[in-house]
Amino acid sequence: MNVPRRPLTLLAALIAGAALAWVPAAPASAATVPVSTASASAATSSAASIGAMASLGDSITRGFNACGFYVDCPSRSWSTGSSQTVDSHYLRLLATEPSLVAHNDARSGAKVADLPGQAERAVSQGAGYVTILMGANDACTSSEASMTTVAAFEAAFRTAMRTLTTGLPTSSIFVAGIPDIRRLWEVGKDSSSARTAWAALGICQSMLARPRSTDQADVDRRERVHQRVAEFNAVMARVCEEQATCRHDGGAVFGYPFMLSHLSRWDYFHPSAAGQRLLAEVTYRAVPDL
């Protein structure tokens, strides 16, 4: 998701006003995850053939705000993270492939237009398993009018998928759906801390502007943004299903009723460590045999 930019004085005021009973861990900055002890998992028997995995996406996959203030925390990524707190796909697969190498090719603030370039990096890394979670920034914009069109979204996603299937013809590709950002509004609209963060940092105003308003115009706007996310997810599911090596989560992420506790208290927008763990669990259930 996008990383909002605001003056430091405003950020400092926001922090001073929030009651945070949480101490952040030191962030991890390396894009390639070192090998570490794996947790027990239901990793598939053929996982030993993967060799390397790559995660494509935005700040969700970079673990942004999951362990520190406004920093990427790739160690807590749901896909390639090394933190046992999260128990990522990477750690689960290590149970059967101790030499597995993971590359986090996601970029905070990325939109689907950036996905083809990330796919090229995954190809250059020879990834045997690729995860994709992309599109929140295409709907979570400064206004409804600035959302990515469905046609443009599909064109970029198809280009990325073609790059992956051509460059990595035998690799497994897993596509996670975009989380329901209307659910984000639902769980946070009655929290003064969440509303303060959303307004002060200008977060996802296409959905989160005037969060307590019941005016019909605001109700209709939220529904249209919700529908755009559903359309993006439908595009990814359809394009993925056209490829024998690709599997979609079947709506698992979009349909999961996450709670406010799954959001980072730095911005009430990105997943917290608990949210990353939940995302890892929900998506891993949908992963086919690799």
Side-chain angles (χ1 to χ4, degrees):
M1 296 184 181
N2 280 325
V3 181
R5 303 293 184 186
R6 288 293 186 274
L8 291 179
T9 55
L10 181 57
L11 296 180
L14 181 63
I15 297 170
L20 299 178
W22 178 68
V23 178
S29 58
T32 301
V33 179
V35 174
S36 63
T37 303
S39 62
S41 72
T44 61
S45 59
S46 59
S49 64
I50 297 174
M53 68 173 289
S55 57
L56 315 184
D58 53 32
S59 56
I60 295 178
T61 299
R62 288 296 294 172
F64 185 81
N65 270 2
C67 68
F69 177 60
Y70 267 57
V71 292
D72 285 345
C73 301
S75 65
R76 292 190 176 180
S77 167
W78 66 275
S79 176
T80 51
S82 59
S83 171
Q84 303 246 351
T85 301
V86 171
D87 200 15
S88 67
H89 288 215
Y90 166 69
L91 286 184
R92 294 166 190 248
L93 292 170
L94 271 178
T96 55
E97 188 172 357
S99 62
L100 178 66
V101 175
H103 303 278
N104 191 319
D105 297 322
R107 181 180 66 80
S108 291
K111 294 187 176 184
V112 72
D114 300 298
L115 191 58
Q118 293 184 16
E120 291 175 358
R121 284 192 288 280
V123 170
S124 71
Q125 293 156 353
Y129 175 46
V130 179
T131 69
I132 301 173
L133 200 173
M134 178 67 88
N137 290 329
D138 293 273
C140 257
T141 56
S142 59
S143 68
E144 180 187 356
S146 58
M147 293 190 298
T148 302
T149 66
V150 176
F153 189 96
E154 180 167 351
F157 190 78
R158 281 190 177 279
T159 298
M161 189 62 66
R162 184 165 54 250
T163 296
L164 291 172
T165 55
T166 300
L168 302 169
T170 62
S171 298
S172 295
I173 303 168
F174 175 70
V175 178
I178 305 165
D180 185 357
I181 59 176
R182 185 172 65 182
R183 175 68 181 175
L184 176 70
W185 166 76
E186 290 172 349
V187 301
K189 63 183 176 63
D190 294 324
S191 165
S192 60
S193 295
R195 294 195 308 271
T196 298
W198 296 344
L201 301 174
I203 293 173
C204 195
Q205 294 298 284
S206 55
M207 174 63 74
L208 302 178
R210 293 167 53 86
R212 303 194 81 179
S213 171
T214 58
D215 290 353
Q216 194 60 48
D218 291 312
V219 173
D220 292 345
R221 167 179 52 81
R222 294 180 198 120
E223 177 56 32
R224 289 191 296 270
V225 176
H226 172 78
Q227 182 59 32
R228 185 64 57 89
V229 173
E231 290 169 343
F232 289 162
N233 279 333
V235 164
M236 291 190 291
R238 182 173 67 252
V239 174
C240 180
E241 288 168 2
E242 294 171 0
Q243 305 298 328
T245 58
C246 184
R247 294 294 182 273
H248 188 263
D249 75 356
V253 172
F254 181 72
Y256 194 90
F258 61 86
M259 306 301 292
L260 191 65
S261 60
H262 295 128
L263 303 177
S264 170
R265 294 201 178 183
W266 292 121
D267 60 9
Y268 291 90
F269 182 62
H270 292 89
S272 61
Q276 289 284 347
R277 183 179 182 87
L278 173 67
L279 189 55
E281 179 64 28
V282 170
T283 54
Y284 200 74
R285 293 175 194 161
V287 174
D289 288 350
L290 298 176

